Amino acid sequence: MRVSLKWLKDYVTVTIPPADVAERLTMAGCEVKGLETIGGEWENILVGQITAVNPHPNADRLRRTTVNLGKEQQTVVCGAPNVRVGDKIVFARTGAKLMDGHTGQVFRLKAAKIRGVESAGMVCSEKELGLSENHAGIMVLPPDVPVGMPLTDLIGDTIFDLEITPNRPDCLSVIGIAREVAVLIGKAVCLPEVKYEESEPPVSEQMSIEIVAPDLCPRYCASLITGVQVKPSPNWMQERLLACGMRPINNVVDVTNYVMLEYGQPLHSFDYHTIGGRKIIVRRAYEGESIISLDGVERALTPDMLVIADEKRAVAIAGVMGGANTEVSDQTTAILLEAANFNPPSIHSTGDVLRLPSEARYRFERGISPELAMYALRRATQLIVELTGGKAAKGLVDVYPGKKAKEPVTLSVDKARRLLGIDFGAERMVRTLKSLGFECEITDSQIKATPPYWRSDIRLEVDVIEEIARIIGYDKIPATLLGEPLPKQTPDPMPGLKREVRSALVAYGFTDVLNFSLTGMDMMNRLMPEPHAIEPAPIRVANPMTAEMEYLRLNLRAGLLAAFAANRKHEDGSIRLFEMGKVYIPRGKGLPDERENVCGVMGGFRLEKSWQESEPLDFFDAKGVAETLFQRLGLEAAFETSSDDSLHANKQAAIIVACEKVGVVGEVHPRVLAAFEINEPVYLLEIDLRTLLPLSMAQREYHPVPRFPAIVRDMALVVDSGVTHARVQSIIKSFPLVEKAEIFDVYAGEQVSVGKKSMAYRLTFRSADQTLTDDDASRVQEQILSKLIAEVGAVLRG
Amino acid sequence: MFVGTEMLKQLEEIKQKAQQEMDAVKDASALESWRVRYLGKKSELTRVLRGLASLPIEERKAVGAFGNELKSHLEEVYQLKEMALKEAQLKASAAREVIDITLPGRRLPVGHLHPITQTINEICEIFTSMGFGVVDGPEVEWDYYNFEALNIPEGHPARDNMSSSWIDHKAEPGGRRMLLRTHNTAVSARMVETLRPPIRVVSPGKVYRYEASDATHTPMFHQIDGLAVDKGITMADLKGTLYEFARRFFGEDRRVRFRCDYFPFVEPGVEMAVECAVCHGGGCRLCGNSGWIEILGAGMTHPHVLQRGGIDPEVYQSYAFGIGIERLPMLRYGIDDIRLFYGCDLRFLRQF
Ligand SMILES: [Zn+2]
């Protein structure tokens, strides 16, 4: 909402600078987003009248011009071709800041002698004042402007660009803002006096109004003005409309817009003679009905939309836009003027379905008071009579099925104190409310406050409390800290686990990234080496912005692989990325299962690129990250074969903790990599944190530090190449005296026969109760070997 | 007498010679042969001293004393030389082992926490230290918790400012509709329903708007919402809590402002701003000439919101606040494009 300070001054005397007005409005709830000054710095510039024009003694093209400034006369040298005795002009005294008419540069005017004649100032062109590019001659003002008036007061203005919150439709008007300003600077509001002559016959004899849908139209008022002459509205009105961002059309339409801006009540003008049967019917649209709106578009209407109709047809979409069939034109001679009130949700849904934003709809949607209609109608009728030379028919039509009694809100002084944390006292509260137009009645520490008719937003005690607080000022409320007792918290362990996993991954060189949760089918398809339907089908957004943002992601993989590829364009070293976030698994019914996941991708080298070679990553680096992570969480992870489509068939493993699958690690399938335009191996680690959470909360088991020394023996075996480390290790570890069995070499090649491999283990023997002897260790080692021979056909390597 | 004098003379010669030879010793092997020659079992000194027995008792004493003195002198000479040689060797090897210490070290890969993660962690720490718990809620939410429960019925103008992404789903009982939550206040609506006072919780998370991306908008961003419900909670407490948050997040010297604003789920409603760090209140481009930067919306929870959750607003009072996350690191670091947070670009993320 744009409000001109000059217009505001019609209703309230503003004595403080505009910036201070803006500050107070902002603090009290009407945010001033911008303050525009029209006219700039016009100090020492005022209205003058040319009283004499004499030739310059030394120059043919210059004149000695005498200017009357009211209290004084000044003589200046002027070269403009349009200097004429009697004209009102703009005079700049020395010291004024002007723009050079030729160079456009700003300069400060000094006293000067021009060709030997003293010049006390300047008569200005529009360009010199910064008003336009016109420098052909001096600016000539209308003859009725008072001599001596500062130019700022004449054409200068300040525009407040206000952000009005949806609860304050009353502030979508100059008078509404004037009321706020008046309260905030301690002044009174003075409303325009509305008076006009009425003539017979009365409206009621020329017009009838019927509200068929009172649930959607609480009030409909109308007036009739005949003998009008439609033409452009006067300059002052056009200027005000333009300053507020509205385009002038003609004197009738401009008045409806002007009064809407002034009072906040939308109005609509019909060409009276186009209304069939001289009857207005407010009803729901018929099935299949349509109307061509004022913008020339044919609109299909539905029975839940409210229309204004005559006997035969719809003539306006109520509260949203008028119809072309009854539009006021140059030929119009009689105006039916409507000021009504409509049900906000109905207006909203009609406007929404028709995709028709309008100033009227904007105000009705926010619930303006039905009381406003009559005030605005009378004002608009007066202005139309004044501007069109028309005659107002006697009386007004007012159908008001939705009239409600004024309901006071009961406010407890104590409640206000308890809610705000400060006691402003009953007297100050009442004073504040009265300044806002409330009627107040005090009874035993209770205030019965009846809001003024324009405040449709005040319904509850807290609404009144806010009024008191915002006018006295939120800065008067002290700042205190919450007291005891602290609420008992049942901490959610998930944030803790997330933080732990995040900091571990960052320590292992992974960078935390964020992708949008919305993704496209194309991205999901890229994760599949063989095309097939995605199971489960992802959740779809009904109104997707783009195809890339149509579905909720089922995993974090695609975003990370795309991020890997994008970073590879400028990173030639290692890339390690991870994302932690939700994935959305549909459940068929109800809200989806939102699972907290973490996924990491890595490619490149083990160490950062440097002057020394580093080795490229392989599967065991990714697995190592998983192992290190789980060790840090105090969990023992096992790895089992797995069959994840997006991963390399032989280079992937399921991560198992306490018999539950918590994730997967592996090399990304080459075809998936190709789909993401990645041409290097990338390793992926994915963990479902929700499954992991209960496991991670298990109490850690404490084992005493060993008291007896260990015996360490190495053992090299030759086995079939299909025998896994896990199998061998579990056999060795099945012996109680074996504390550790670490593999330190795996070899297949010339030294062993084809189809075989050699595996070397370092065994640590220890007993919890005694020092073992070499014999003890040898005995167990023998037993281990025979078990290995029996179960995996192992041969001790010589 | 004669014999003893002769022996003393011999010992004196040994001393002279040993010293001369020692001066010429340059390495460990020469030192070893010197040791064998002068301190070994078959050394000249040993040989001379073996003749002591043939001396008369009074001479034996004097010569013997000189001989022992000489022996310990030679041992000392030996040790000094040994130390000198070791020292020289260390120096020599140090001189050989020169490296260019300006070459880069062998670095481990370094990861970085996302600035949004860092900001959320920081804010959660501030509020947990004030007794707030951290809670979570669904991102795909019922229309009810996102809107109706918060006094935003169908057709309310506040819905226009939060254009929603609706979910394509099967018909639900009561025509309930699902959407991507447009604000984290939806979690507070759930908390009012599931928790009983006293309540103090914050909920960080993702929110969604049906909006195209530009430098200041993304269809997904983060918020943290706070809720406190108890007997006697006041607007002064709200101010105190949020001022304390601002003091800890922005620092002691930044001025803070509380002004009236409107949100359907609170009354009275508040907007809090901090002094613009660029112009210190004077007005500049960043703050739109106002000198202030809005950082959060808040207020006293609307009685109808409490009632819907089964909390009696006559008994309990409550406040709520909602902070936009992205704005904070943007202000702190001078980041001018919100899309950078979702670009996954290491060149950006490595700086945090
Ligand atoms: Zn600034």
Side-chain angles (χ1 to χ4, degrees):
Chain A
M1 170 90 191
R2 289 166 61 85
V3 171
S4 132
L5 177 62
K6 253 193 177 162
W7 193 351
L8 206 58
K9 283 179 172 170
D10 283 0
Y11 318 112
V12 59
T13 314
V14 179
T15 46
I16 61 172
D20 292 358
V21 174
E23 161 85 10
R24 292 191 199 183
L25 280 170
T26 299
M27 292 302 284
C30 288
E31 190 188 357
V32 179
K33 286 182 298 178
L35 206 56
E36 289 167 31
T37 313
I38 295 177
E41 291 179 64
W42 282 340
E43 254 177 83
N44 290 314
I45 300 178
L46 59 163
V47 176
Q49 185 170 28
I50 298 175
T51 50
V53 179
N54 295 307
H56 190 285
N58 309 322
D60 288 348
R61 291 181 50 234
L62 297 177
R63 308 263 196 305
R64 278 170 57 221
T65 309
T66 309
V67 181
N68 173 24
L69 298 167
K71 288 180 188 150
E72 64 196 293
Q73 300 256 339
Q74 293 287 357
T75 301
V76 296
V77 175
C78 182
N82 61 335
V83 187
R84 237 179 47 202
V85 174
D87 274 359
K88 300 270 177 76
I89 49 83
V90 181
F91 179 81
R93 287 183 205 279
T94 53
K97 259 193 193 170
L98 294 171
M99 192 184 278
D100 187 292
H102 301 287
T103 64
Q105 285 191 330
V106 175
F107 69 100
R108 201 173 275 282
L109 188 62
K110 287 185 213 133
K113 249 187 191 165
I114 298 171
R115 298 273 192 106
V117 176
E118 203 75 49
S119 184
M122 224 169 106
V123 179
C124 307
S125 72
E126 287 185 15
K127 184 167 183 185
E128 282 161 342
L129 294 167
L131 285 170
S132 77
E133 281 301 301
N134 186 358
H135 190 55
I138 56 166
M139 182 178 180
V140 180
L141 300 170
D144 56 344
V145 298
V147 166
M149 183 189 230
L151 186 67
T152 317
D153 293 356
L154 184 67
I155 53 174
D157 200 357
T158 299
I159 304 292
F160 297 96
D161 188 4
L162 293 152
E163 174 99 30
I164 304 299
T165 56
N167 60 324
R168 293 298 303 273
D170 62 304
C171 285
L172 293 168
S173 67
V174 183
I175 288 178
I177 298 301
R179 287 192 179 111
E180 287 285 304
V181 171
V183 173
L184 294 168
I185 66 172
K187 291 271 162 45
V189 172
C190 158
L191 294 185
E193 196 186 343
V194 178
K195 253 198 329 207
Y196 53 88
E197 269 182 39
E198 297 181 339
S199 51
E200 295 288 350
V203 193
S204 50
E205 284 174 22
Q206 304 177 66
M207 200 65 224
S208 77
I209 285 164
E210 185 190 354
I211 301 179
V212 180
D215 54 328
L216 302 185
C217 178
R219 190 176 195 184
Y220 198 100
C221 309
S223 68
L224 179 65
I225 306 110
T226 54
V228 303
Q229 196 194 340
V230 177
K231 58 184 182 189
S233 50
N235 280 340
W236 64 267
M237 181 173 276
Q238 295 203 16
E239 273 164 21
R240 284 190 170 182
L241 290 174
L242 284 168
C244 294
M246 294 199 92
R247 197 165 50 87
I249 295 164
N250 59 45
N251 50 4
V252 175
V253 175
D254 289 357
V255 166
T256 61
N257 284 332
Y258 183 86
V259 175
M260 177 180 72
L261 292 174
E262 191 178 35
Y263 279 76
Q265 165 73 49
L267 297 126
H268 185 62
S269 53
F270 298 97
D271 182 334
Y272 171 69
H273 295 299
T274 60
I275 293 181
R278 297 182 170 185
K279 194 172 162 109
I280 286 285
I281 304 164
V282 186
R283 59 163 170 85
R284 287 180 162 81
Y286 300 134
E287 194 77 62
E289 194 171 7
S290 72
I291 184 173
I292 296 171
S293 50
L294 280 176
D295 53 6
V297 180
E298 177 157 6
R299 313 270 174 183
L301 304 172
T302 57
D304 51 1
M305 295 176 180
L306 188 71
V307 295
I308 311 300
D310 63 12
E311 262 184 353
K312 297 196 215 68
R313 57 187 180 157
V315 295
I317 308 163
V320 177
M321 198 177 266
N325 50 18
T326 46
E327 186 179 3
V328 173
S329 71
D330 296 351
Q331 278 74 50
T332 303
T333 56
I335 302 288
L336 176 75
L337 192 58
E338 162 203 294
N341 194 275
F342 303 111
N343 170 271
S346 155
I347 296 294
H348 182 270
S349 87
T350 302
D352 213 36
V353 170
L354 298 178
R355 292 174 192 279
L356 259 177
S358 74
E359 291 279 339
R361 171 190 164 189
Y362 194 79
R363 285 169 175 78
F364 284 126
E365 267 173 5
R366 282 158 176 72
I368 52 166
S369 162
E371 287 296 312
L372 207 54
M374 196 52 93
Y375 295 91
L377 181 64
R378 288 178 44 77
R379 169 68 166 163
T381 307
Q382 173 207 15
L383 286 172
I384 289 178
V385 167
E386 281 173 15
L387 301 188
T388 65
K391 283 186 174 155
K394 197 175 165 197
L396 299 160
V397 186
D398 183 7
V399 186
Y400 198 173
K403 187 168 175 70
K404 284 189 189 128
K406 277 188 181 178
E407 286 280 349
V409 179
T410 306
L411 165 70
S412 142
V413 174
D414 186 52
K415 172 73 183 177
R417 179 190 58 77
R418 280 189 290 128
L419 196 70
L420 298 175
I422 182 170
D423 192 357
F424 288 129
E427 197 196 320
R428 191 170 179 195
M429 290 183 192
V430 167
R431 211 179 333 130
T432 306
L433 290 172
K434 281 187 172 163
S435 72
L436 283 164
F438 283 75
E439 285 164 29
C440 294
E441 212 181 296
I442 312 188
T443 47
D444 334 312
S445 74
Q446 285 203 327
I447 302 169
K448 272 195 173 168
T450 309
Y453 73 83
W454 60 86
R455 292 299 299 272
S456 48
D457 59 313
I458 307 287
R459 293 183 201 101
L460 304 175
E461 190 177 24
V462 284
D463 298 331
V464 181
I465 294 174
E466 181 183 79
E467 289 305 301
I468 295 165
R470 74 181 184 92
I471 297 300
I472 293 178
Y474 281 9
D475 52 340
K476 301 293 185 300
I477 294 172
T480 55
L481 282 178
L482 289 177
E484 302 283 316
L486 289 182
K488 195 171 70 187
Q489 302 287 0
T490 321
D492 174 7
M494 186 55 102
L497 176 66
K498 280 164 68 179
R499 213 181 256 219
E500 182 85 29
V501 171
R502 267 204 176 102
S503 60
L505 288 174
V506 165
Y508 309 151
F510 288 80
T511 291
D512 185 16
V513 303
L514 284 168
N515 279 294
F516 293 132
S517 316
L518 290 164
T519 183
M521 191 51 82
D522 166 60
M523 277 298 229
M524 290 186 277
N525 282 332
R526 287 195 213 183
L527 290 172
M528 296 183 300
E530 312 287 347
H532 59 78
I534 295 170
E535 269 299 320
I539 294 162
R540 196 181 156 270
V541 171
N543 55 334
M545 197 107 54
T546 60
E548 289 79 46
M549 303 276 263
E550 192 174 352
Y551 296 94
L552 280 167
R553 63 186 178 192
L554 291 162
N555 57 56
L556 304 172
R557 297 173 176 189
L560 281 163
L561 289 171
F564 188 99
N567 276 295
R568 185 47 89 212
K569 295 200 171 89
H570 49 79
E571 298 292 326
D572 52 0
S574 291
I575 298 178
R576 298 182 183 201
L577 308 171
F578 81 96
E579 180 166 8
M580 188 178 280
K582 288 175 172 175
V583 299
Y584 311 82
I585 316 297
R587 276 199 261 232
K589 260 184 84 180
L591 297 178
D593 185 14
E594 295 183 12
R595 301 190 73 92
E596 200 73 59
N597 263 27
V598 63
C599 185
V601 291
M602 62 199 288
F605 296 86
R606 279 187 198 143
L607 293 172
E608 290 290 271
K609 228 171 116 78
S610 181
W611 49 284
Q612 286 173 314
E613 281 290 300
S614 176
E615 305 196 353
L617 296 173
D618 65 25
F619 171 82
F620 297 101
D621 291 289
K623 189 181 172 191
V625 169
E627 286 169 329
T628 317
L629 172 67
F630 285 100
Q631 190 187 356
R632 177 159 165 169
L633 295 173
L635 297 171
E636 206 161 313
F639 294 83
E640 289 179 2
T641 52
S642 123
S643 55
D644 189 302
D645 283 349
S646 304
L647 301 178
H648 190 298
N650 303 323
K651 293 183 190 169
Q652 59 170 298
I655 308 170
I656 313 292
V657 174
C659 302
E660 271 202 78
K661 184 182 169 189
V662 297
V664 67
V665 58
E667 183 176 327
V668 178
H669 195 290
R671 248 182 281 165
V672 173
L673 290 175
F676 284 94
E677 291 171 14
I678 298 171
N679 41 28
E680 66 184 293
V682 171
Y683 303 90
L684 178 143
L685 165 68
E686 185 181 70
I687 300 165
D688 179 0
L689 295 176
R690 250 247 309 271
T691 311
L692 183 64
L693 185 67
L695 309 170
S696 73
M697 287 164 67
Q699 166 98 33
R700 293 199 182 203
E701 268 178 57
Y702 165 72
H703 300 284
V705 175
R707 289 167 57 209
F708 298 100
I711 293 176
V712 175
R713 294 278 174 82
D714 288 352
M715 184 164 82
L717 306 162
V718 175
V719 291
D720 284 347
S721 50
V723 175
T724 65
H725 158 69
R727 178 99 175 89
V728 175
Q729 195 185 37
S730 74
I731 294 170
I732 300 174
K733 287 193 81 175
S734 65
F735 291 85
L737 288 180
V738 177
E739 185 184 74
K740 277 193 286 186
E742 297 160 302
I743 189 157
F744 66 89
D745 188 39
V746 180
Y747 173 81
E750 284 175 23
Q751 308 291 316
V752 292
S753 37
V754 178
K756 301 270 180 190
K757 66 179 173 186
S758 140
M759 302 174 93
Y761 285 88
R762 177 153 297 159
L763 312 185
T764 306
F765 299 96
R766 194 195 305 268
S767 157
D769 343 285
Q770 58 179 313
T771 303
L772 292 181
T773 63
D774 276 345
D775 285 350
D776 295 333
S778 302
R779 207 174 47 248
V780 180
Q781 204 178 343
E782 295 273 304
Q783 291 167 3
I784 291 171
L785 187 61
S786 32
K787 196 167 178 189
L788 286 169
I789 291 166
E791 295 194 9
V792 295
V795 176
L796 197 63
R797 195 174 177 209
Chain B
M1 282 298 266
F2 173 72
V3 184
T5 318
E6 185 60 27
M7 277 177 80
L8 281 173
K9 205 177 139 198
Q10 281 179 0
L11 288 174
E12 191 57 42
E13 274 169 19
I14 290 172
K15 188 179 174 184
Q16 299 282 325
K17 220 168 105 203
Q19 191 60 58
Q20 275 169 21
E21 282 183 27
M22 185 54 99
D23 289 346
V25 165
K26 293 285 181 263
D27 57 34
S29 67
L31 181 66
E32 180 58 14
S33 55
W34 185 94
R35 191 190 64 80
V36 171
R37 239 179 355 268
Y38 291 100
L39 290 167
K41 284 190 180 122
K42 292 174 184 167
S43 68
E44 235 175 304
L45 179 63
T46 313
R47 190 181 50 77
V48 173
L49 291 178
R50 212 171 280 142
L52 266 184
S54 60
L55 290 185
I57 188 86
E58 57 278 19
E59 286 187 26
R60 196 194 297 171
K61 232 182 176 174
V63 176
F66 185 72
N68 283 332
E69 211 176 281
L70 177 59
K71 192 172 180 188
S72 52
H73 170 71
L74 291 179
E75 273 166 359
E76 196 183 325
V77 166
Y78 172 80
Q79 274 163 11
L80 281 172
K81 188 59 149 194
E82 192 184 32
M83 268 159 63
L85 281 180
K86 270 191 184 155
E87 190 68 17
Q89 196 188 358
L90 273 176
K91 270 191 188 145
S93 67
R96 274 197 310 277
E97 286 171 11
V98 168
I99 55 166
D100 176 0
I101 53 94
T102 66
L103 282 170
R106 221 165 274 129
R107 290 199 309 194
L108 301 172
V110 182
H112 300 263
L113 268 187
H114 199 287
I116 296 296
T117 310
Q118 292 186 32
T119 309
I120 291 176
N121 288 349
E122 190 177 340
I123 296 173
C124 284
E125 262 163 39
I126 292 173
F127 284 106
T128 46
S129 78
M130 292 195 264
F132 286 77
V134 180
V135 295
D136 190 29
E139 292 172 26
V140 180
E141 186 54 284
W142 296 115
D143 179 301
Y144 175 78
Y145 291 108
N146 198 74
F147 291 129
E148 276 89 359
L150 297 169
N151 293 343
I152 314 173
E154 192 83 51
H156 193 287
R159 283 205 189 199
D160 297 346
N161 301 331
M162 293 196 282
S163 37
S164 317
S165 289
W166 296 93
I167 300 294
D168 182 13
H169 61 90
K170 282 185 205 145
E172 288 281 341
R176 295 192 294 176
R177 295 208 292 160
M178 279 179 217
L179 77 164
L180 292 170
R181 68 177 176 207
T182 59
H183 53 177
N184 248 26
T185 317
V187 183
S188 297
R190 281 178 174 270
M191 292 306 137
V192 163
E193 202 177 87
T194 52
L195 302 177
R196 290 300 93 183
I199 301 170
R200 262 185 235 184
V201 288
V202 289
S203 57
K206 296 184 167 92
V207 299
Y208 302 82
R209 299 280 165 89
Y210 182 78
E211 250 170 15
S213 291
D214 62 28
T216 51
H217 299 88
T218 42
M220 181 189 93
F221 52 97
H222 292 76
Q223 283 182 344
I224 185 163
D225 222 76
L227 173 77
V229 187
D230 203 350
K231 287 177 183 161
I233 284 188
T234 68
M235 195 158 158
D237 294 334
L238 172 65
K239 198 173 185 179
T241 306
L242 294 179
Y243 275 30
E244 176 63 9
F245 158 70
R247 190 183 68 79
R248 281 160 69 172
F249 193 89
F250 295 99
E252 299 278 353
D253 328 319
R254 293 284 283 281
R255 289 193 300 145
V256 184
R257 163 180 106 170
F258 237 48
R259 58 168 285 264
C260 179
D261 203 350
Y262 169 76
F263 305 98
F265 37 89
V266 289
E267 190 78 19
V270 175
E271 177 220 86
M272 190 168 103
V274 291
E275 187 184 51
C276 175
V278 174
C279 63
H280 301 285
C284 69
R285 237 188 56 193
L286 180 73
C287 57
N289 262 322
S290 69
W292 296 94
I293 307 263
E294 297 166 21
I295 52 160
L296 60 86
M300 302 306 290
T301 313
H302 197 283
H304 292 170
V305 174
L306 293 176
Q307 263 160 7
R308 275 189 209 100
I311 293 174
D312 184 353
E314 289 302 314
V315 179
Y316 293 101
Q317 294 186 163
S318 164
Y319 67 61
F321 56 86
I323 309 171
I325 302 291
E326 276 76 357
R327 196 108 207 257
L328 302 175
M330 287 177 88
L331 290 171
R332 183 176 278 182
Y333 301 111
I335 299 166
D336 59 3
D337 192 332
I338 189 174
R339 290 169 293 195
L340 285 166
F341 292 124
Y342 302 100
C344 302
D345 190 327
L346 282 167
R347 294 168 298 182
F348 172 74
L349 296 168
R350 241 183 233 130
Q351 302 180 47
F352 303 98

